[in-house]
């Protein structure tokens, strides 16, 4: 019984990441202007004013994490280090790969903590909250796109889990406190505007 529930849940998650990553169009221009395609690949060739050195209002951390790192890793594996990254990747790869990465990252940073936060002693499969989240349109769209909003959601989920573990623990060890500090710092620098 519990195994079939997990298999069904895995199928829904695979469909969410695959379909959510391939949905045409965009929800908001910030998908591209916050996603790093413009910063790292010159698409368009102008850097948005929020990222210009003289007017910097945004952190480079989210586009680096959500776009540059997955594309660089993929490019180095797929093309064996030939040429520059912009010469190696097609426009479709630059569009879809960060979406797939965000979908997988949301699975790790949102769905896994959610399971631990919502399960009970009798929970043997995915919780109803997990089913609801994995089948909702906002999850399919926003957590599969390189938005800072999605990254904020991911950090919030992990923070909630660490805070819950910390508050229910009889001791306050330094490792958990350090983890909270790091997570808070990353979350703040995801969007500090």
């Amino acid at each position: 019984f519990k195994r079939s529930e997990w298999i069904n849940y895995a199928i829904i998650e695979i469909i969410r990441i695959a379909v959510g990553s391939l949905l045409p169009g965009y929800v908001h221009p910030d998908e591209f202007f916050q996603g790093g395609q413009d910063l790292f690949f010159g698409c368009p060739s102008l850097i948005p004013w929020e990222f210009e050195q003289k007017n910097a209002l945004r952190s480079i951390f989210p586009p680096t994490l959500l776009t540059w790192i997955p594309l660089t890793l993929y490019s180095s594996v797929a093309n064996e280090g030939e040429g520059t990254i912009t010469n190696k990747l097609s426009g479709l790869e630059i569009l879809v790969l960060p979406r797939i990465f965000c979908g997988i990252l949301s699975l790790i940073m949102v769905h896994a903590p959610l399971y631990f936060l919502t399960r009970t002693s009798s929970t043997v499969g995915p919780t109803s909250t997990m089913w609801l989240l994995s089948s909702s349109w906002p999850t399919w769209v926003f957590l599969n796109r390189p938005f800072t909003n999605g990254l904020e959601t991911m950090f919030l989920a992990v923070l909630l889990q660490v805070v819950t573990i910390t508050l229910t623990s009889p001791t306050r060890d330094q490792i958990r406190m350090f983890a909270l500090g790091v997570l808070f710092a990353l979350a703040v620098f995801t969007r500090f505007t």
Side-chain angles (χ1 to χ4, degrees):
F1 176 68
K2 66 180 176 181
R3 186 174 185 198
S4 65
E5 283 186 26
W6 281 111
I7 290 171
N8 291 339
Y9 180 73
I11 289 169
I12 286 179
E13 286 299 330
I14 290 168
I15 292 170
R16 173 182 75 89
I17 292 171
V19 172
S21 299
L22 295 172
L23 287 173
Y26 62 90
V27 177
H28 192 278
D30 281 351
E31 176 180 356
F32 304 108
F33 295 115
Q34 292 177 3
Q37 289 89 339
D38 51 331
L39 296 174
F40 305 121
F41 303 104
C43 311
S45 59
L46 299 173
I47 294 176
W49 65 271
E50 299 117 317
F51 291 103
E52 288 180 358
Q53 289 183 353
K54 64 180 180 175
N55 297 320
L57 288 176
R58 294 196 180 264
S59 170
I60 196 68
F61 170 70
T64 300
L65 176 67
L66 299 177
T67 302
W68 187 80
I69 290 175
L71 290 177
T72 301
L73 291 173
Y74 171 80
S75 179
S76 65
V77 171
N79 297 305
E80 301 173 5
E82 300 171 6
T84 64
I85 193 169
T86 54
N87 296 344
K88 296 184 220 179
L89 300 176
S90 69
L92 183 64
E93 289 171 313
I94 292 172
L95 176 69
V96 172
L97 289 171
R99 291 179 177 186
I100 292 171
F101 178 77
C102 288
I104 293 168
L105 196 62
S106 72
L107 188 60
I108 295 166
M109 292 181 67
V110 176
H111 293 260
L114 189 63
Y115 173 73
F116 292 106
L117 290 171
T118 59
R119 69 186 169 124
T120 63
S121 58
S122 63
T123 302
V124 291
T127 64
S128 58
T129 308
M130 292 172 66
W131 285 106
L132 182 64
L133 184 67
S134 64
S135 62
S136 71
W137 180 84
T139 301
W140 281 51
V141 174
F142 288 102
L143 292 183
N144 276 28
R145 308 281 175 114
F147 284 119
T148 54
N149 307 64
L151 191 57
E152 290 166 359
T153 303
M154 295 176 207
F155 280 127
L156 178 62
V158 174
L159 276 167
L160 287 173
Q161 183 179 11
V162 173
V163 166
T164 301
I165 291 169
T166 302
L167 292 176
T168 57
S169 173
T171 62
R172 303 273 191 259
D173 64 43
Q174 291 180 342
I175 293 173
R176 270 184 282 211
M177 293 301 163
F178 179 75
L180 277 174
V182 169
L183 286 168
F184 276 121
L186 290 173
V188 165
F189 284 103
T190 294
R191 176 178 302 162
F192 57 90
T193 56

